[in-house]
Amino acid sequence: LCSAINVTITPSPFTVAQEGQNITLTCVVSQRRRNAALPVVKWTFLPAGTDRTEDELLIARVNMRKARFYGNYTKSFPWPKLKLTVVKQGKIFDLLILNVSEGDRGLYMCRVQEFKKHQDRWKASTNCTAATELRVHVLPATKAKESLWSLFEDVYLCAVLICSVGLLCMCMFTVTVTCQYIQRKQRLKDNYHLVKSPQNSSGETVTSVVNVSPALPKKERRYRKKRSRDYQEEIPPEIPAKAPIGDKTRKPKLLKPQPRKVVLV
C-alpha cells in the first residue's frame, strides 16, 4: 500500500487466457487526497521463469504531458502485439495483448510515480506498483494429417480444383486430336498423288499409290516404283471409231392396182 496513491490491476492476482485470444489488463490509479501531483504510468513485463529485476521489459509509458511511448520490447514484434489505451486521463489505463501465445506468460506490472512541482522544478514524490500474472492455456497440438485429403476439406476449393482438371483434360484432348488430324493429312498428302492420263480423252484421272516412306525395305520400294512406272507407261486401248453410215433415200412405195368389179344390169 502507498501513502498518497493507490494502484490496482484487474484481473488480479492472476488471469488465465487461451492461446490465440486477446486479453485486456486494466490499471486503476486513485489518489487518496487531491493534490497538484501528476502521475507517470509505466507498464513493464517480467517473463515467466525469471526473477531478476534487470530482466524487466518496458512495454509502454505515459508521461506527464499525456504522451504515450512504446518500449523496445513492444517494437520488437513485426506486427501490433501490445496496445496501451488511456481510458481516463490520470485514472484508468488499459493494456491490450493481442493473440496471446505461450511466450506472453509472466508478470505484468503497472508502476505509477507522482511528480510534484517544487520551485519551478518537478520532483518525484510517491510511487506505487501493482502486478498480475498471466497464465496461458496452450491447446494440445493436433496431429497433422498425412494424407492429401486435408486439402479438400473446403467444398469451394474442391469444386475449383475439379473444374480446373476438367478444363485441362479438354484442352489436352483437343490438342491431341488436332495433332493427329494434321499428321494424318500430311501422310495422305505424301502417299497419294493424282496423275492425269494424257491418252484418256475423257479427262478422267488415274490414282496411283506411291509410298515414299523411308521405313520400307529398299527392295520393296524399288519394286513399287517399277510397278507404278509400268502402270503409267501402259497405253490404254483406243476406242474404235464407228463406220460412217451413208444416207439412204427412201423410195416411194408403189400401190398395186386393184381389180375393178363390173356389175351387169
Side-chain angles (χ1 to χ4, degrees), residues 211 213 216-230:
N211 195 339
S213 176
L216 294 175
K218 186 180 291 185
K219 292 183 178 179
E220 188 173 354
R221 291 202 304 270
R222 206 175 283 170
Y223 171 73
R224 290 197 176 187
K225 287 182 180 179
K226 184 178 179 181
R227 184 179 177 184
S228 176
R229 187 168 56 253
D230 295 342

Side-chain angles (χ1 to χ4, degrees), residues 2-47:
C2 304
S3 58
I5 57 176
N6 185 25
V7 180
T8 57
I9 294 181
T10 56
S12 64
F14 67 90
T15 180
V16 180
Q18 191 173 356
E19 187 179 15
Q21 290 182 342
N22 301 335
I23 188 170
T24 301
L25 304 178
T26 303
C27 178
V28 181
V29 181
S30 59
Q31 295 178 342
R32 295 195 175 186
R33 60 179 182 273
R34 298 184 64 182
N35 52 31
L38 297 177
V40 174
V41 180
K42 290 194 300 183
W43 277 97
T44 59
F45 170 60
L46 185 64

Side-chain angles (χ1 to χ4, degrees), residues 200-217:
N200 197 343
S201 60
S202 61
E204 296 177 356
T205 57
V206 180
T207 304
S208 63
V209 181
V210 179
N211 195 339
V212 294
S213 176
L216 294 175

Side-chain angles (χ1 to χ4, degrees), residues 126-147:
T126 309
N127 56 53
C128 191
T129 303
T132 185
E133 182 184 1
L134 175 61
R135 301 174 183 177
V136 180
H137 177 65
V138 181
L139 297 175
T142 57
K143 295 182 179 180
K145 296 182 180 180
E146 296 180 359
S147 63

Side-chain angles (χ1 to χ4, degrees), residues 247-265:
D247 295 336
K248 295 181 178 181
T249 56
R250 287 188 176 184
K251 295 181 178 181
K253 293 182 178 181
L254 300 176
L255 296 178
K256 293 181 179 182
Q258 297 292 336
R260 295 183 178 181
K261 292 182 179 182
V262 178
V263 180
L264 299 176
V265 180

Side-chain angles (χ1 to χ4, degrees), residues 154-222:
D154 191 0
V155 179
Y156 179 76
L157 178 62
C158 185
V160 171
L161 186 59
I162 291 175
C163 293
S164 301
V165 172
L167 291 174
L168 183 60
C169 292
M170 290 179 62
C171 293
M172 292 180 63
F173 177 76
T174 304
V175 171
T176 304
V177 171
T178 305
C179 292
Q180 290 181 354
Y181 172 76
I182 294 175
Q183 187 177 5
R184 188 168 181 268
K185 188 176 180 180
Q186 186 67 26
R187 191 184 301 119
L188 291 175
K189 185 178 179 180
D190 295 341
N191 292 347
Y192 293 92
H193 300 279
L194 295 177
V195 180
K196 186 175 181 180
S197 176
Q199 287 82 7
N200 197 343
S201 60
S202 61
E204 296 177 356
T205 57
V206 180
T207 304
S208 63
V209 181
V210 179
N211 195 339
V212 294
S213 176
L216 294 175
K218 186 180 291 185
K219 292 183 178 179
E220 188 173 354
R221 291 202 304 270
R222 206 175 283 170

